[in-house]
C-alpha cells in the first residue's frame, strides 16, 4: 500500500533545482474563487491578470507555502471547470495543523462537507470539502511519523 520512501524522504531531482507542483484550477468566476479561497483557507493572492472587461483571466494564490493557480475556463482547450465537466478528476490535499478548524471555516465560507473530518486507522485525520466551484479539497493532518502500515 505505502512505500516507505515515497512520502517520507525528499529526493534530489534535476540537479540542485527546487521542484514544486503548482496545480491549475479552471473556473468560471475567478473573482468569486479568490474571495472563497481567501475566506476558507486564508489564501493570499499573489497576482492576477485581468481581461479587458475587468474580469480575472488568471491568478496565483498561496495557502501557507503551497502555491496554486487559477485560470478562467476558455472552452476550446478542453481544460474545463468541474461544473462544465460535471465532476472532478483530482482531489487537492491540504495538510494543515487542525483540519477540523479548516473544514468548519471552509463550510462557513460556502463549501460543502463531503465527508466529515475524522481519524483514520493509518494515522491521518482528514475530511473532504467541495468548494462552491466543484473542486474537492481534502484537509488533513498527517501523523508525526510514517503512516501506520508503512513497511
Amino acid at each position: 500500500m505505502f512505500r516507505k520512501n515515497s512520502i517520507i524522504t525528499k529526493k534530489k531531482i534535476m540537479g540542485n533545482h527546487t521542484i514544486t507542483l503548482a496545480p491549475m484550477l479552471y473556473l468560471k468566476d475567478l473573482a468569486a474563487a479568490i474571495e472563497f479561497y481567501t475566506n476558507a483557507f486564508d489564501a493570499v493572492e499573489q497576482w492576477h491578470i485581468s481581461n479587458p472587461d475587468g474580469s480575472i483571466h488568471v491568478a496565483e494564490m498561496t495557502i501557507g507555502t503551497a502555491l496554486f493557480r487559477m485560470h478562467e475556463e476558455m472552452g476550446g482547450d478542453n481544460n474545463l471547470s468541474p461544473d462544465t465537466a460535471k465532476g472532478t478528476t483530482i482531489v487537492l490535499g491540504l495538510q494543515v495543523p487542525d483540519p477540523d478548524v479548516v473544514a468548519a471555516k471552509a463550510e462557513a465560507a460556502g463549501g460543502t462537507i463531503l465527508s466529515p473530518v475524522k481519524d483514520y486507522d493509518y494515522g491521518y485525520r482528514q475530511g473532504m470539502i467541495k468548494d462552491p466551484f466543484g473542486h474537492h479539497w481534502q484537509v488533513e493532518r498527517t501523523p508525526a511519523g510514517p503512516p501506520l502500515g508503512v513497511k
Side-chain angles (χ1 to χ4, degrees):
M1 182 170 174
F2 287 102
R3 288 192 339 241
K4 186 175 182 182
N5 291 325
S6 65
I7 298 171
I8 307 305
T9 303
K10 292 183 177 180
K11 295 181 181 179
K12 277 190 175 182
I13 57 174
M14 301 179 109
N16 290 325
H17 298 282
T18 299
I19 307 299
T20 58
L21 178 66
M24 175 80 77
L25 306 181
Y26 280 82
L27 302 145
K28 293 183 178 185
D29 183 350
L30 270 67
I34 289 170
E35 182 178 351
F36 174 79
Y37 298 135
T38 298
N39 294 330
F41 302 131
D42 295 327
V44 176
E45 181 183 339
Q46 301 301 307
W47 55 263
H48 74 259
I49 298 169
S50 296
N51 292 311
D53 68 0
S55 63
I56 299 173
H57 177 67
V58 65
E60 185 174 277
M61 297 189 84
T62 54
I63 302 171
T65 59
L67 172 72
F68 69 103
R69 296 185 179 115
M70 299 174 292
H71 199 290
E72 72 177 321
E73 182 181 79
M74 301 294 289
D77 58 6
N78 256 353
N79 293 317
L80 306 174
S81 69
D83 286 340
T84 301
K86 307 229 182 309
T88 185
T89 62
I90 187 170
V91 172
L92 298 154
L94 188 58
Q95 295 181 345
V96 297
D98 192 338
D100 297 272
V101 168
V102 174
K105 193 170 180 180
E107 185 177 31
T112 302
I113 302 294
L114 298 177
S115 63
V117 175
K118 66 179 187 177
D119 292 321
Y120 285 87
D121 293 342
Y122 45 87
Y124 281 66
R125 182 163 181 77
Q126 48 193 195
M128 186 78 67
I129 300 158
K130 180 175 148 183
D131 70 27
F133 320 102
H135 293 286
H136 292 193
W137 295 78
Q138 183 165 279
V139 294
E140 59 190 8
R141 182 183 65 230
T142 58
L148 296 177
V150 171
K151 298 189 188 253

